[in-house]
Amino acid sequence: METSSKKHKVEKILTDIVHKINTRLEHGETITEIVGAYYYYNNLVYLLCGIYDLTFEERKEIMKRWSFDVMFND
C-alpha cells in the first residue's frame, strides 16, 4: 500500500470519528462522557498511525493536525 494512501485512510477514519463525536456533543453529551479523557483519543490517533505503518514524519503531522486539543478546542 502506498504511503500517501495509508495516510489518507487514517485521516478518513479520524474524520468519521470526529464527526460522530461532534454529533454527540451537539446532542448534549460532554466530551468526557464520549471520549473518557483526551489521552484516550490521542492514543487512538497514534494507534491508527501504527496500524497503517506511517512513517515518523507522517505520524508527527497526523498527531499535530488531529490532536484532541485541535479537534475539540480544549
Side-chain angles (χ1 to χ4, degrees):
M1 186 183 307
E2 198 173 298
T3 302
S4 62
S5 175
K6 293 188 287 186
K7 183 179 168 192
H8 178 73
K9 287 184 183 224
V10 169
E11 289 185 330
K12 169 72 171 103
I13 292 167
L14 291 171
T15 297
D16 291 344
I17 291 170
V18 168
H19 175 72
K20 289 176 183 181
I21 290 172
N22 282 329
T23 298
R24 290 176 65 182
L25 288 170
E26 290 170 2
H27 287 102
E29 292 183 63
T30 66
I31 197 68
T32 302
E33 293 169 326
I34 298 167
V35 180
Y38 76 90
Y39 54 84
Y40 291 135
Y41 174 84
N42 285 340
N43 285 341
L44 173 67
V45 174
Y46 189 77
L47 178 65
L48 284 170
C49 290
I51 289 171
Y52 283 92
D53 197 28
L54 299 183
T55 65
F56 175 76
E57 287 302 317
E58 289 172 322
R59 287 176 192 223
K60 190 172 153 184
E61 183 181 329
I62 292 283
M63 292 300 290
K64 183 177 179 181
R65 180 172 175 205
W66 290 93
S67 75
F68 184 90
D69 294 339
V70 171
M71 297 313 311
F72 303 104
N73 300 315
D74 190 36

